[in-house]
Amino acid sequence: MNNEKQFKRRIKYIIAVPIALAIILCGFIIYENGMSSKVGMLSIALLMVYVLIVIIIYFRMMPAISSIIVDYALEQGKIQRELLHELEIPYAILDTSGHIMWANNEFHRIVGVSKDKRIRKNLDTYFPQLTPEILDDDEVETGIDYQDKRYKVSVRRINLSKVFENDKSETRDDDIVLALYLFDETELYKYRQDTIDQKLYAGLIYLDNYDEVMDSMEDVKHSILTALIERKINMYLSNVDAIVKHIENDKYFFVFKQKYLQTLRDDRFSILDDVKNINVGNDISMTLSIGIGTDADLNNSSFMSAYDNARIAIGMAMGRGGDQAAIKQGEQVTYYGGKSAGTEKNTRVKARVKAQAFEELLLSKEKVLIMAHKRPDADAFGSAVGIYRMVTSLGKKAHIVLNDITDAIRPIYSTFKTGDTYANVFLTSTEAVAEVNQNTVVVVCDVNRPSMTECEELLSLVPTVVVFDHHRQSNEVISGASLSYIEPFASSACEMIAEMYQYISRNPKLRIQEADAMYAGILIDTDNFLTKTGVRTFEAASYLRKSGADVTRVRKMFRSSMDEMKERAQGISNAEIYKDCFVLSYVTPDPNSSDAPTVAVAKTANELLNVENIKASFVVTEADDGILYVSARSIGDVNVQVIMEHFNGGGHANVAGAQLAGKKKEEFFEELKQLISSLHDSGDI
């Protein structure tokens, strides 16, 4: 009706304009010729006849014109409705709650409703992704999958009150409708996905213990073993259409398409076990590590960035002990495998290289701050003391950052407080921060996670950071270290530092209490040389013995008290065996003890490994600070580090732990049982 009124109004204007012009022309003629002129009178008469004819035409033709206009409008509306019905793009009109009020034929076809029937259901009945909450926005554009098709959904809000110009009332919910369009992007999505799938990812394969395995077998069998390994690798990667290049004796490089990455994930890198099972007379099983680099942004990734990530991934896999695969996608790293404890490296080349690099790094520096992890144990304290003596022998000033003196280090620490030899050596975090300048080096030992260091602030205050550690790396690492020596095969940080001593040009000499501290670190971390002990462990212990360490004196320092023995007995009494080979227990801490909460659980976990058929033990204690401390130990068949990483912990394959805030032991044991069952059933442990 509003359109009809507008048309009539425009026709009136069309009629009124000639009449107005005729009147103006009449006035002009009178002005020029006067009323008495014969020409003037004739002109006026003709103009009056013209105006009369126009008025007659208007009143006689107006009904006919209106009828024609209405018929035309109706015809156009009918055509538009027909076009909407036959529109190839699915189109529907909804109310604000998502109820379908009208839909065209294509929409009917997609949802499987006859075009002769009215759809009386809500939109989310057919498209569960399009909930009423999503439709609340003024403009909605999203993608959905429906019946093997990919659609782009576009929804626009239409205010009906603004469609009619004469309606000045406020907008009501009843005046709002939603216009929904579905654009079929199946082909476009397919082509886009094909483009992404064709992107190349880089991968590196390193044989972890190539030299050790080759040295352990006859020379004539070397080529056989190498050929079998290469055949296994080529056959495995041929399943993902990869190109493999043997770049060194123990290194391979390969590239593959992005679409096969999920295939490797689903397979969980069975090549790790396939290579480990190769036996041609070798006493030691060959293990390998795999690093794959991708990019978090699939649309803008480059092959160079993928290769850089592959290099970082292989470094992290090796840093965690090898025998595993690491996939680095942007900042996210995912690990697979890592079930074995790794093979000890017989060569000391790495220790020599790192020792010489450390010595050269100190030449241009004047001060060194040494720190280990919070609540230091014997290994942390002993390695810090060992680095202190190494640095001072090179003529540099050094301090050890130490905040808490726990029962774990009190016996050995007390030997450093006699006399003035070590006056001002030990600093708190606040004092250490005050000592920092641009010529300061921070050395971190027995830890590689910044959040667990004695003073994390120091890492950001100095340009030069050095890391010496024997724990496997996690996703949280000290970034930007100038020198990093992480050896997961070592029994302890003290073992690593003792080896480095033998390659320092100044030939530093340990004092008796320093040798005792380092020997104590090895003794405690290996559980009296029973756990994670190799040839190099005994060689390091022998070096410390020659430097003045006394085995009996150290052992007396770390004997257990009667209360500690009772706590250990309590932990054994509370033990529960799960799946016939895992033991779970808890220890109630002594409220009067100043010892670290981890000491009792660690010793209990070690003790429980002596039970027949037990492969791994997990012991917890709930401390007063609300933190649940977990110690995990294994006899070698189970990698407890992989299990502890699920609880944001870490450690070694045989010795690991975690700290959980706000969690009760009952909750932890329930989650642990579910995790063990899952990993055990999938063959990951």
Side-chain angles (χ1 to χ4, degrees):
M1 292 299 294
N2 281 319
N3 289 337
E4 184 180 353
K5 291 178 181 179
Q6 289 179 10
F7 277 120
K8 288 181 177 180
R9 193 160 48 244
R10 289 176 182 176
I11 291 173
K12 288 179 181 179
Y13 292 150
I14 293 172
I15 298 297
V17 168
I19 295 175
L21 291 175
I23 294 172
I24 294 172
L25 183 59
C26 181
F28 179 75
I29 291 171
I30 294 172
Y31 176 77
E32 286 291 330
N33 301 293
M35 293 293 292
S36 60
S37 171
K38 187 177 181 179
V39 175
M41 292 299 292
L42 181 61
S43 299
I44 292 171
L46 291 174
L47 284 175
M48 293 303 293
V49 172
Y50 170 75
V51 170
L52 183 62
I53 292 171
V54 170
I55 293 172
I56 292 171
I57 290 173
Y58 171 73
F59 285 106
R60 292 290 301 272
M61 298 298 294
M62 191 61 193
I65 293 173
S66 297
S67 178
I68 293 171
I69 291 172
V70 170
D71 290 342
Y72 177 78
L74 292 174
E75 185 66 24
Q76 289 298 311
K78 183 178 179 181
I79 293 173
Q80 290 176 5
R81 284 197 302 272
E82 191 64 27
L83 288 174
L84 272 180
H85 274 293
E86 300 299 330
L87 187 66
E88 293 186 358
I89 298 174
Y91 175 77
I93 297 176
L94 324 170
D95 62 18
T96 53
S97 65
H99 182 78
I100 301 172
M101 299 190 297
W102 180 89
N104 68 355
N105 295 341
E106 187 64 17
F107 191 92
H108 277 259
R109 185 188 65 79
I110 287 177
V111 299
V113 177
S114 173
K115 64 181 180 180
D116 299 326
K117 294 183 179 180
R118 181 181 173 186
I119 301 176
R120 300 180 181 275
K121 296 182 179 180
N122 273 30
L123 185 66
D124 55 3
T125 304
Y126 304 102
F127 307 102
Q129 306 98 315
L130 302 177
T131 60
E133 292 76 16
I134 294 178
L135 301 177
D136 282 342
D137 295 335
D138 288 341
E139 292 188 4
V140 178
E141 283 198 1
T142 185
I144 63 170
D145 294 314
Y146 183 73
Q147 294 183 351
D148 300 327
K149 294 281 188 177
R150 179 79 177 182
Y151 292 99
K152 174 188 172 184
V153 180
S154 179
V155 181
R156 298 289 182 269
R157 300 176 78 86
I158 299 174
N159 186 351
L160 296 178
S161 63
K162 293 182 179 180
V163 174
F164 305 109
E165 294 181 354
N166 292 338
D167 192 343
K168 305 297 183 181
S169 60
E170 295 183 359
T171 301
R172 303 188 307 272
D173 288 343
D174 293 342
D175 295 330
I176 301 295
V177 296
L178 306 179
L180 177 140
Y181 303 86
L182 297 177
F183 300 96
D184 189 348
E185 293 188 336
T186 306
E187 290 297 320
L188 178 62
Y189 180 79
K190 178 179 178 297
Y191 294 140
R192 186 184 295 131
Q193 189 61 44
D194 286 344
T195 302
I196 294 174
D197 289 343
Q198 297 302 316
K199 288 183 178 295
L200 293 180
Y201 285 166
L204 292 167
I205 297 177
Y206 288 3
L207 302 179
D208 302 324
N209 51 350
Y210 179 84
D211 294 331
E212 287 73 23
V213 173
M214 292 304 180
D215 290 342
S216 70
M217 57 188 299
E218 301 173 13
D219 292 345
V220 295
K221 295 182 179 179
H222 288 186
S223 59
I224 300 174
L225 180 61
T226 302
L228 288 174
I229 292 172
E230 189 163 341
R231 183 172 180 271
K232 287 280 188 183
I233 292 174
N234 285 326
M235 288 182 62
Y236 180 77
L237 293 178
S238 67
N239 294 326
V240 294
D241 196 25
I243 299 174
V244 189
K245 179 68 175 176
H246 193 172
I247 53 178
E248 292 184 32
N249 287 339
D250 58 347
K251 294 180 176 64
Y252 296 82
F253 171 75
F254 64 97
V255 293
F256 64 100
K257 296 176 182 176
Q258 187 272 343
K259 65 180 180 179
Y260 293 113
L261 180 61
Q262 191 58 44
T263 302
L264 295 175
R265 290 182 186 272
D266 295 340
D267 181 67
R268 305 191 70 81
F269 295 91
S270 60
I271 184 66
L272 298 172
D273 292 328
D274 292 342
V275 170
K276 202 157 37 179
N277 292 332
I278 297 176
N279 192 322
V280 292
N282 46 303
D283 297 328
I284 305 173
S285 296
M286 183 74 77
T287 63
L288 56 80
S289 295
I290 303 174
I292 294 176
T294 74
D295 203 300
D297 187 356
L298 296 178
N299 295 320
N300 298 313
S301 61
S302 67
F303 184 70
M304 184 56 69
S305 65
Y307 177 68
D308 290 339
N309 280 342
R311 293 176 58 189
I312 296 172
I314 194 67
M316 300 186 78
M318 298 287 287
R320 288 163 54 86
D323 187 31
Q324 57 196 284
I327 300 175
K328 188 174 190 305
Q329 188 166 5
E331 297 300 319
Q332 181 182 1
V333 182
T334 309
Y335 299 100
Y336 297 86
K339 291 183 280 187
S340 68
T343 305
E344 180 192 19
K345 301 288 185 180
N346 294 327
T347 176
R348 291 187 183 179
V349 174
K350 195 173 182 179
R352 174 178 59 80
V353 171
K354 297 297 183 180
Q356 293 174 353
F358 183 52
E359 188 174 355
E360 292 175 4
L361 186 146
L362 293 178
L363 292 178
S364 60
K365 305 298 179 181
E366 63 180 33
K367 188 186 303 180
V368 177
L369 296 175
I370 308 160
M371 65 176 175
H373 53 76
K374 298 173 183 176
R375 287 187 169 275
D377 54 14
D379 187 36
F381 182 79
S383 57
V385 167
I387 296 170
Y388 167 80
R389 178 53 56 201
M390 185 187 300
V391 171
T392 54
S393 69
L394 296 173
K396 304 297 180 181
K397 186 179 180 181
H399 295 284
I400 298 174
V401 183
L402 187 64
N403 293 316
D404 299 320
I405 311 301
T406 62
D407 287 350
I409 64 171
R410 184 170 284 109
I412 197 71
Y413 175 78
S414 61
T415 64
F416 287 80
K417 300 306 291 182
T418 57
D420 298 329
T421 305
Y422 297 97
N424 301 321
V425 171
F426 300 99
L427 304 177
T428 63
S429 294
T430 304
E431 294 169 337
V433 170
E435 291 283 334
V436 169
N437 59 41
Q438 289 303 302
N439 285 323
T440 301
V441 178
V442 170
V443 179
V444 179
C445 57
D446 199 37
V447 64
N448 59 60
R449 299 173 65 173
S451 62
M452 295 184 66
T453 57
E454 281 279 23
C455 182
E456 186 177 355
E457 182 183 359
L458 285 176
L459 300 175
S460 60
L461 294 178
V462 299
T464 308
V465 177
V466 178
V467 181
F468 297 126
D469 189 27
H470 68 115
H471 296 98
R472 291 188 174 195
Q473 287 180 296
S474 65
N475 290 345
E476 182 192 0
V477 296
I478 297 174
S479 59
S482 302
L483 177 64
S484 181
Y485 181 21
I486 299 176
E487 184 59 88
F489 305 108
S491 68
S492 57
C494 288
E495 176 188 319
M496 296 168 59
I497 303 304
E499 286 184 345
M500 291 176 60
Y501 260 79
Q502 302 167 60
Y503 300 104
I504 299 295
S505 61
R506 299 289 183 90
N507 194 23
K509 299 294 183 182
L510 286 165
R511 297 184 178 181
I512 291 177
Q513 58 264 57
E514 294 167 350
D516 280 351
M518 294 183 68
Y519 184 84
I522 297 177
L523 191 71
I524 298 301
D525 263 28
T526 59
D527 190 22
N528 293 315
F529 297 98
L530 294 176
T531 304
K532 203 172 174 56
T533 306
V535 174
R536 289 167 63 177
T537 308
F538 288 108
E539 289 175 349
S542 176
Y543 172 80
L544 295 173
R545 181 69 183 87
K546 292 176 184 177
S547 299
D550 188 293
V551 179
T552 304
R553 183 169 58 239
V554 171
R555 186 171 182 180
K556 286 181 179 179
M557 289 181 187
F558 291 93
R559 286 185 295 181
S560 301
S561 65
M562 182 56 69
D563 289 337
E564 188 178 309
M565 293 296 290
K566 289 180 179 179
E567 284 184 341
R568 202 181 309 177
Q570 178 200 52
I572 296 172
S573 175
N574 294 333
E576 170 195 355
I577 295 179
Y578 181 66
K579 283 191 175 293
D580 299 328
C581 56
F582 300 97
V583 60
L584 287 61
S585 186
Y586 64 92
V587 172
T588 303
D590 182 358
N592 299 319
S593 175
S594 60
D595 201 356
T598 55
V599 174
V601 293
K603 292 184 177 181
T604 303
N606 286 331
E607 195 72 33
L608 288 171
L609 287 181
N610 294 323
V611 178
E612 185 180 11
N613 297 326
I614 294 301
K615 294 181 179 179
S617 61
F618 303 89
V619 183
V620 304
T621 187
E622 294 176 313
D624 293 336
D625 54 6
I627 297 178
L628 188 72
Y629 292 88
V630 186
S631 280
R633 301 290 185 271
S634 79
I635 204 75
D637 298 327
V638 175
N639 188 339
V640 291
Q641 185 225 5
V642 174
I643 297 175
M644 287 296 98
E645 281 185 343
H646 284 80
F647 298 97
N648 201 29
H652 300 286
N654 298 333
V655 180
Q659 298 179 12
L660 307 173
K663 189 179 289 292
K664 298 297 182 182
K665 64 177 184 294
E666 292 82 7
E667 298 176 60
F668 168 74
F669 283 139
E670 185 62 31
E671 292 181 23
L672 179 63
K673 288 178 179 179
Q674 293 177 3
L675 178 61
I676 290 175
S677 296
S678 175
L679 295 175
H680 188 269
D681 294 342
S682 64
D684 288 337
I685 58 173

